[in-house]
Amino acid sequence: MDERDSIYLDAVSINSDGPNARKSLYLSRQTVYHSAEELPLDGAVPDGSGTLRSIKTTTESLLNDSRANGGLPNLPYEPRPGGSSSFGGGILKRPGLTTKYNEETWNRFQDGKRVVDFVLAYNGQDQSEEMARKRATFQQNLQAEGLEIEPECSQRIHFIKIHVPQEVVSRYCEIMRMQMPTVKLPGQDNIAPKDFSVSGLLVKLFRRPLFSFVIIDRDKFRKREYQLKHEYTRDKSYLFDDGQPDFFTPSIRIAVAHFILERTYFNVGEENKYDIGLRKLLNDGVYLDAYPLHDGNTDMPEVECQRTLLLQEWASVIRWIKHQPLDHIKEYFGVKVAMYFAWLGFYTHMLIWASIVGLLCFFYGLLTFRDNRISQDICNDNTTIMCPQCDAKCDYWRLNDTCTTSQLAHIFDNNFTIVFAVFMSIWATLYLEMWKRYSSAIQHRWGITDYCSLAEPPRPQYLSRLKDSKKTIFNIITGTQEPSPPFWTRKLPSFLYSYSVIFLFITLAIAAVFGIVIYRMSLMTSRNIYGDPDAVSTKLLLLPATAAIINLIVSTILNFAYDYVAVYMTDIEYRRTQSEYNESLNLKIYLFQFINYYSSIFYIAFVKGKFPGYPAKYNRILTLRQEECSPGGCLMELCIQLAIIMIGKQIISLILEILVPFLLQKFREFRSVLGIESEESENGEKLICCNQWTKDFTLISWTDRSLFEEYLKMIIQYGFITIFVVAFPLGPLFALLNNVFETRLDAKKFLLYYKRAVPQRVRNIGMWYNVMHVLGKVAVISSAFIIAFSSNFIPRLVYMYVVSQDKTDRGYLNHTLAYFNVSDFEPGAAPIASKFENVTVCRYHEYRNPPGADRAYKRPLIYWHILAIRLAFVVIYQNVVSFVQIVVAWAIPDTPGRLQDQIKREQYLTNEFIIQQEKLKTRERKCGRNGSSKRRNGTLARQQSSLEEYGTTVSLTEEEGEDENYVRRRPNGGTDPYNHERFQECEIVTSRV
């Protein structure tokens, strides 16, 4: 190809001389701009050999070139001193411009036919000869692999456009063991695969005409015919219709391009055997970025493309109620991203059932709170005087001051709570088991059931750190010697240092929670911080609310700080592969966020109010009294804390979900389009976006952590609605509402603000399934302890069946309040001033003997009975629920029986078809070997002519050309050559020949 053709001038150079040049560029955004006075009559461009050849530049030739290139003229090219003329080492002296959309050139090579599958971008102003040499070697090696390359060097940012030819795609599909759709096999029509959708009664209901509004528009997302899949191999080409132009989809082409880029060397010599792969080139700054192109321009929605369709019909918030087009998402983003959205959609559907039961629990409490005996006793009691809540500055208060709090507490702590807790424990197990069934259908449909990742190459950072290492280890998989860090002097110290810092930050998160606890204790000593000191109920609500808001702010700040620390600490470790690195980083971040978000809730659920002491001997921390639960229990405060942290985190995440990518992408676009002045360059980083690769360059780069952040948010939410759902039955409902918008905002973010993700194959959601499985087990234990120790369920049950004469809870409140003689206050604890007169006895929430008893203020026997029953309840609840979980998991097979039968049927049909085809090939070979060499040419012609009469196309590979009688068959047009009778006829024809 002429080098002049490779300089496809579809963007403006920012190296124009003079101050008026910038202004003229802006005025020419929608025109073809050139100046005959500024352009030299004789120009020079590099030819294919790297030398310069002269051309004659005229206005007429510019216009002709413009018409030929869709409005983009070819202009003179000036070599840059020290640059490589073969790979864009020069700059455009005076370019032309058009920003109008042209389908033939928007995402294609200059010839308008070859599609750009991948793009490499680098700074054209880089004068480093070493980097230029690496780029040249790398690109030459890419061409040696069969990739086609076209440089685009019209701006300061130079682009290398890469196209993967059909032969390369087919060869690497075989190497990568891709599962590809087969031709229609005999008997395939008898297979009736189950519809690909979220299984369950709710979705079956939604399929009815009344709920047709939830079904995606089949006119836009056409339901694709189900195709069997088989591992691609060129030796069995009769299985695949790979001659069709759309057989290898764009996502497959991108995956193949990325596979080659990650395994291509950019240096020569034995000493540079680890200089391999695109990731290391990006890490060393040889290339600025590397990315596949999005499909279409979002600024022109009238132009039909897959990206615009997904943006309008899937990523739009107004389509929130419709199902997701998972097959189309997989074709665009690949399996890894599509699997995330499939899981998120399934999780959101399952939340519907949890939300319904949670609402029933809430409404039950709402309808019965006025009839609650404890609330009635509190609200009707005008005589009971309670002991002060803090030392000296706090006054006595009346029990009925907490009337509102006790009524609100009953909404969440009622008889239905334990039913809801058991349901959620079973729901967690049912959800995981149903997801395995659902994902098995996804795996089969997408051809990833038997997928396993290939042996990963070492990380560039890992190899660079071991460049001078003398120790090597034999890699059994690759069969080569690789450098290895000494365990005692490098590997172990790095791990100890890394996890010591991580442990320090986890301790810091716990210390932050401890600081908030101290803050709450100190606030209790101030009488006027909330205004009227008599408003006890207001204090009991505002105090935990403000503490929860502070905790949310501190947790968010710590998360941002910890992310940088976790990345830095993981970089210190010697993680060989990128998967090992990602798993280590993900584990660190999740452990920290688990502690950061859950520790304050654990404190209220399991610590607060459990060991406060009594007025004669309070238990103290830093001279401050420990917090006490209200007479209604700590569950109300736990609900407030959980609601604020969970809902607040979701609101912050939703805002940042779209705001941060939007602002970041706009900043990159602003910097590239308008330019930012720099010291070494007059025009900064200006970039005119007038094709797909320049437009996508301003988008946010896709990284290994892009999808991890999305999973992490959902798993943290899952912990909220399982571990602490007893305290907040509305948690699943708020999670459901959040996820409805989360799905659409994630989709919009990935389509609009991020570069296109490289399609990757995965079997499942990875480590996150195991994390959810562990959270399900923790949720059972947590629910048991919350019901037993944070609610009134067990004490009230013991009172009704052991203490009460009429087996009711009448008098239960008075039974839980102990007496205290105010003359027994410890020094400094009695109120300095009080509005109550002649107070001799006050009450406090504890099980203790009265002042005049033999063992004054000691624990009575009933306390130990209640404690024993609480512990027994924890054991019984945990074992019973765990047993039910085991039964549910056992009763639900991981793979539906119908799918198993379908897989077996498909394997049988495929094997039978392969056997028949191999028999036919063997017979053809035998027939060819017995034929006369003088008749081979004529025999081959007759074979082809005869077989084509029966709808069969004949083709020969180079290897098969040695034996001209060897015939390969593949389907022709819309006929079905795989009918049994057709086989017999083909065999008869072959035998005649």
Side-chain angles (χ1 to χ4, degrees):
M1 184 180 65
D2 196 327
E3 183 68 14
R4 182 167 177 255
D5 294 335
S6 69
I7 308 171
Y8 183 30
L9 307 181
D10 57 351
V12 159
S13 170
I14 44 68
N15 291 283
S16 302
D17 298 329
N20 294 329
R22 181 183 296 273
K23 181 178 180 180
S24 64
L25 294 180
Y26 290 119
L27 296 176
S28 64
R29 289 297 299 273
Q30 302 297 329
T31 63
V32 177
Y33 169 77
H34 62 271
S35 173
E37 297 179 356
E38 292 181 342
L39 291 172
L41 293 178
D42 293 298
V45 297
D47 59 14
S49 62
T51 60
L52 298 179
R53 61 181 176 84
S54 298
I55 61 171
K56 192 75 173 178
T57 305
T58 62
T59 303
E60 182 179 359
S61 64
L62 288 175
L63 293 177
N64 291 334
D65 287 343
S66 175
R67 297 187 191 101
N69 295 329
L72 304 178
N74 291 326
L75 295 176
Y77 194 74
E78 182 179 47
R80 180 176 306 285
S84 171
S85 60
S86 298
F87 294 97
I91 60 174
L92 291 174
K93 193 171 182 180
R94 288 294 182 269
L97 169 67
T98 180
T99 57
K100 293 182 179 180
Y101 176 82
N102 189 305
E103 183 179 1
E104 294 183 355
T105 59
W106 186 255
N107 61 350
R108 298 176 183 269
F109 275 30
Q110 186 175 351
D111 56 18
K113 298 179 180 179
R114 292 172 293 173
V115 177
V116 178
D117 296 314
F118 221 92
V119 173
L120 308 177
Y122 65 95
N123 187 357
Q125 297 293 316
D126 185 6
Q127 300 291 338
S128 172
E129 294 184 1
E130 178 67 16
M131 289 189 176
R133 183 187 61 79
K134 289 182 178 180
R135 283 193 294 267
T137 304
F138 185 67
Q139 291 162 199
Q140 289 171 359
N141 290 337
L142 292 179
Q143 290 178 315
E145 289 289 338
L147 300 184
E148 297 177 1
I149 292 177
E150 184 177 81
E152 173 53 63
C153 310
S154 57
Q155 304 195 62
R156 186 176 306 278
I157 304 300
H158 291 186
F159 299 95
I160 304 298
K161 297 173 287 184
I162 298 174
H163 171 74
V164 188
Q166 191 87 346
E167 185 276 331
V168 178
V169 177
S170 62
R171 172 157 47 95
Y172 273 90
C173 275
E174 185 174 2
I175 294 173
M176 298 168 67
R177 304 180 66 179
M178 290 275 195
Q179 294 282 332
M180 302 298 293
T182 66
V183 296
K184 193 172 183 180
L185 304 182
Q188 181 178 335
D189 293 334
N190 297 329
I191 300 177
K194 191 177 181 180
D195 289 342
F196 183 61
S197 60
V198 181
S199 58
L201 179 62
L202 187 63
V203 175
K204 291 180 180 178
L205 179 65
F206 280 173
R207 292 179 189 152
R208 297 181 181 276
L210 182 62
F211 297 96
S212 59
F213 57 86
V214 304
I215 306 298
I216 58 177
D217 190 348
R218 286 301 180 188
D219 293 334
K220 298 179 179 179
F221 295 102
R222 296 189 179 276
K223 189 174 181 179
R224 302 182 179 181
E225 182 181 358
Y226 179 73
Q227 293 178 292
L228 276 65
K229 286 184 170 57
H230 191 271
E231 184 177 309
Y232 182 78
T233 172
R234 291 174 293 174
D235 291 338
K236 296 182 176 63
S237 61
Y238 48 77
L239 267 178
F240 311 98
D241 194 8
D242 51 6
Q244 296 296 327
D246 58 346
F247 180 77
F248 297 107
T249 61
S251 62
I252 293 178
R253 305 176 69 90
I254 293 171
V256 168
H258 185 261
F259 184 86
I260 298 174
L261 289 169
E262 286 290 351
R263 287 159 178 80
T264 301
Y265 288 88
F266 54 86
N267 265 330
V268 294
E270 182 65 24
E271 68 279 2
N272 299 318
K273 61 182 179 179
Y274 299 116
D275 290 343
I276 180 176
L278 178 62
R279 191 183 294 271
K280 183 167 177 57
L281 289 172
L282 293 172
N283 183 66
D284 295 341
V286 178
Y287 289 105
L288 296 178
D289 209 342
Y291 51 92
L293 298 182
H294 275 294
D295 177 29
N297 184 8
T298 56
D299 296 333
M300 303 185 66
E302 66 276 5
V303 179
E304 294 184 2
C305 63
Q306 193 175 15
R307 184 187 185 189
T308 303
L309 178 63
L310 290 173
L311 193 62
Q312 294 175 348
E313 300 296 327
W314 171 51
S316 177
V317 177
I318 61 176
R319 311 287 187 189
W320 65 270
I321 199 170
K322 290 188 176 294
H323 294 160
Q324 300 184 84
L326 293 178
D327 284 334
H328 295 265
I329 299 171
K330 175 254 181 182
E331 288 299 325
Y332 192 81
F333 286 112
V335 175
K336 188 173 183 179
V337 177
M339 185 68 75
Y340 163 73
F341 284 104
W343 169 77
L344 183 58
F346 181 85
Y347 171 50
T348 303
H349 276 85
M350 290 295 293
L351 281 174
I352 296 176
W353 302 107
S355 301
I356 292 174
V357 180
L359 281 173
L360 292 177
C361 180
F362 174 78
F363 285 125
Y364 175 84
L366 197 64
L367 295 174
T368 61
F369 80 96
R370 295 187 181 277
D371 300 328
N372 180 34
R373 175 72 64 180
I374 299 177
S375 299
Q376 291 177 351
D377 292 345
I378 291 176
C379 296
N380 296 330
D381 192 329
N382 296 321
T383 59
T384 302
I385 297 177
M386 304 296 294
C387 296
Q389 294 178 312
C390 64
D391 297 337
K393 297 182 180 180
C394 294
D395 196 3
Y396 302 105
W397 53 283
R398 296 189 183 278
L399 180 61
N400 61 0
D401 290 340
T402 61
C403 175
T404 303
T405 307
S406 64
Q407 290 177 339
L408 292 177
H410 175 74
I411 297 177
F412 303 99
D413 182 13
N414 52 64
N415 296 330
F416 201 88
T417 301
I418 188 171
V419 177
F420 182 57
V422 173
F423 169 81
M424 287 303 299
S425 298
I426 299 175
W427 174 89
T429 302
L430 188 65
Y431 152 69
L432 293 177
E433 294 301 318
M434 293 299 294
W435 162 248
K436 286 195 292 185
R437 288 173 61 87
Y438 180 57
S439 63
S440 65
I442 296 178
Q443 293 168 2
H444 176 66
R445 186 179 183 89
W446 292 347
I448 53 176
T449 302
D450 300 323
Y451 170 75
C452 63
S453 59
L454 302 176
E456 288 189 69
R459 295 172 54 242
Q461 299 87 339
Y462 174 83
L463 294 177
S464 63
R465 295 183 65 189
L466 298 177
K467 195 170 186 179
D468 300 328
S469 177
K470 297 180 180 180
K471 181 182 178 181
T472 60
I473 187 172
F474 181 75
N475 189 320
I476 300 177
I477 299 175
T478 61
T480 58
Q481 293 287 340
E482 292 184 358
S484 176
F487 179 78
W488 294 105
T489 59
R490 285 196 185 184
K491 203 168 185 179
L492 181 61
S494 67
F495 286 162
L496 292 178
Y497 176 56
S498 174
Y499 282 96
S500 296
V501 174
I502 298 303
F503 179 76
L504 176 64
F505 264 78
I506 291 177
T507 306
L508 181 63
I510 297 175
V513 174
F514 179 76
I516 294 174
V517 171
I518 298 299
Y519 160 79
R520 292 151 60 104
M521 293 179 181
S522 63
L523 282 185
M524 292 300 297
T525 64
S526 177
R527 298 181 60 188
N528 300 318
I529 193 167
Y530 292 118
D532 185 7
D534 296 331
V536 177
S537 295
T538 304
K539 286 185 179 181
L540 293 176
L541 293 177
L542 288 180
L543 181 59
T546 54
I549 293 173
I550 295 174
N551 185 60
L552 175 63
I553 296 174
V554 172
S555 299
T556 304
I557 296 174
L558 284 176
N559 273 341
F560 284 112
Y562 180 78
D563 278 354
Y564 291 100
V565 175
V567 172
Y568 180 77
M569 289 297 105
T570 310
D571 289 339
I572 291 177
E573 301 173 6
Y574 287 88
R575 298 295 182 180
R576 178 183 174 274
T577 65
Q578 191 64 35
S579 295
E580 294 176 2
Y581 178 89
N582 292 341
E583 289 178 2
S584 178
L585 178 61
N586 296 349
L587 181 62
K588 291 183 180 69
I589 294 178
Y590 178 73
L591 285 177
F592 179 80
Q593 292 214 9
F594 184 92
I595 299 297
N596 196 24
Y597 282 112
Y598 297 157
S599 53
S600 61
I601 304 176
F602 273 114
Y603 164 76
I604 297 176
F606 306 124
V607 178
K608 181 181 177 181
K610 305 302 183 291
F611 317 102
Y614 57 99
K617 187 181 179 181
Y618 283 115
N619 296 323
R620 300 177 182 273
I621 299 177
L622 301 178
T623 70
L624 298 174
R625 281 172 47 181
Q626 291 190 30
E627 296 179 280
E628 303 177 29
C629 292
S630 65
C634 282
L635 207 60
M636 182 61 195
E637 186 173 348
L638 179 61
C639 175
I640 295 174
Q641 184 86 1
L642 180 62
I644 290 178
I645 293 179
M646 176 183 171
I647 299 175
K649 183 182 183 303
Q650 291 184 166
I651 292 175
I652 293 175
S653 297
L654 285 176
I655 294 175
L656 298 180
E657 185 80 29
I658 201 70
L659 185 61
V660 171
F662 172 78
L663 295 178
L664 183 58
Q665 191 271 331
K666 290 302 178 184
F667 171 74
R668 290 168 61 95
E669 183 177 347
F670 173 81
R671 185 180 64 181
S672 298
V673 176
L674 298 183
I676 295 180
E677 300 297 331
S678 60
E679 296 179 359
E680 63 274 4
S681 174
E682 177 185 356
N683 297 289
E685 300 179 5
K686 185 169 181 178
L687 182 70
I688 303 301
C689 295
C690 46
N691 49 42
Q692 195 65 58
W693 49 90
T694 53
K695 195 171 186 63
D696 286 1
F697 181 77
T698 62
L699 300 179
I700 303 171
S701 298
W702 185 273
T703 65
D704 294 323
R705 293 193 59 193
S706 298
L707 207 57
F708 164 77
E709 298 292 344
E710 308 304 327
Y711 273 115
L712 182 62
K713 289 185 296 184
M714 293 297 101
I715 298 302
I716 293 294
Q717 178 199 93
Y718 182 79
F720 280 129
I721 67 167
T722 53
I723 299 177
F724 309 106
V725 73
V726 176
F728 190 41
L730 295 180
L733 176 63
F734 283 100
L736 173 64
L737 297 177
N738 172 82
N739 292 359
V740 167
F741 294 100
E742 178 79 20
T743 304
R744 309 300 165 171
L745 293 180
D746 281 346
K748 185 175 183 180
K749 178 175 65 175
F750 293 160
L751 287 168
L752 273 184
Y753 306 126
Y754 276 80
K755 293 181 174 70
R756 187 172 182 174
V758 175
Q760 298 181 29
R761 289 176 291 170
V762 294
R763 284 198 62 196
N764 45 46
I765 59 176
M767 59 172 279
W768 301 114
Y769 178 87
N770 295 328
V771 171
M772 288 188 291
H773 180 74
V774 173
L775 288 179
K777 302 300 182 182
V778 174
V780 176
I781 302 174
S782 174
S783 298
F785 274 94
I786 290 176
I787 294 173
F789 290 93
S790 296
S791 71
N792 294 316
F793 178 75
I794 299 299
R796 192 164 65 91
L797 200 65
V798 173
Y799 175 82
M800 291 171 59
Y801 291 97
V802 177
V803 179
S804 177
Q805 298 295 328
D806 55 0
K807 305 302 179 182
T808 64
D809 59 354
R810 183 179 290 106
Y812 166 73
L813 178 63
N814 184 69
H815 177 73
T816 60
L817 299 177
Y819 292 88
F820 179 74
N821 192 330
V822 297
S823 62
D824 295 332
F825 269 119
E826 59 183 340
I832 298 176
S834 176
K835 65 178 182 180
F836 294 91
E837 298 180 356
N838 302 323
V839 176
T840 58
V841 176
C842 63
R843 308 290 295 272
Y844 59 99
H845 187 66
E846 271 282 8
Y847 283 100
R848 291 188 180 271
N849 293 325
D854 294 337
R855 301 175 66 252
Y857 306 125
K858 299 298 181 180
R859 298 289 189 184
L861 187 60
I862 189 65
Y863 169 81
W864 302 108
H865 289 168
I866 292 176
L867 178 61
I869 295 177
R870 280 173 166 169
L871 295 175
F873 172 81
V874 171
V875 174
I876 295 174
Y877 179 91
Q878 179 183 353
N879 283 276
V880 170
V881 175
S882 297
F883 176 76
V884 174
Q885 289 179 331
I886 293 174
V887 172
V888 170
W890 171 81
I892 302 177
D894 295 346
T895 304
R898 185 174 180 180
L899 180 59
Q900 293 178 358
D901 295 339
Q902 178 184 335
I903 294 174
K904 294 176 182 178
R905 174 64 175 167
E906 292 176 1
Q907 291 176 345
Y908 170 78
L909 293 178
T910 305
N911 291 336
E912 286 295 311
F913 181 70
I914 292 175
I915 291 172
Q916 292 177 354
Q917 288 294 313
E918 291 299 324
K919 285 182 179 179
L920 187 58
K921 288 171 60 176
T922 303
R923 187 171 302 175
E924 292 166 0
R925 291 193 186 99
K926 185 176 181 181
C927 179
R929 284 194 298 269
N930 294 332
S932 173
S933 59
K934 295 181 181 180
R935 298 166 51 196
R936 284 184 178 178
N937 294 335
T939 300
L940 177 63
R942 288 194 299 273
Q943 282 181 332
Q944 179 170 348
S945 175
S946 300
L947 291 176
E948 285 182 350
E949 292 179 2
Y950 289 88
T952 304
T953 302
V954 179
S955 63
L956 293 179
T957 64
E958 294 180 1
E959 297 178 355
E960 295 157 1
E962 298 177 358
D963 184 355
E964 296 174 348
N965 294 305
Y966 175 68
V967 180
R968 170 178 290 189
R969 289 169 179 73
R970 65 179 54 164
N972 181 25
T975 62
D976 182 10
Y978 303 113
N979 182 275
H980 183 66
E981 290 77 10
R982 183 69 54 82
F983 271 120
Q984 293 178 340
E985 292 174 353
C986 290
E987 292 174 3
I988 293 172
V989 171
T990 305
S991 62
R992 287 188 202 148
V993 175

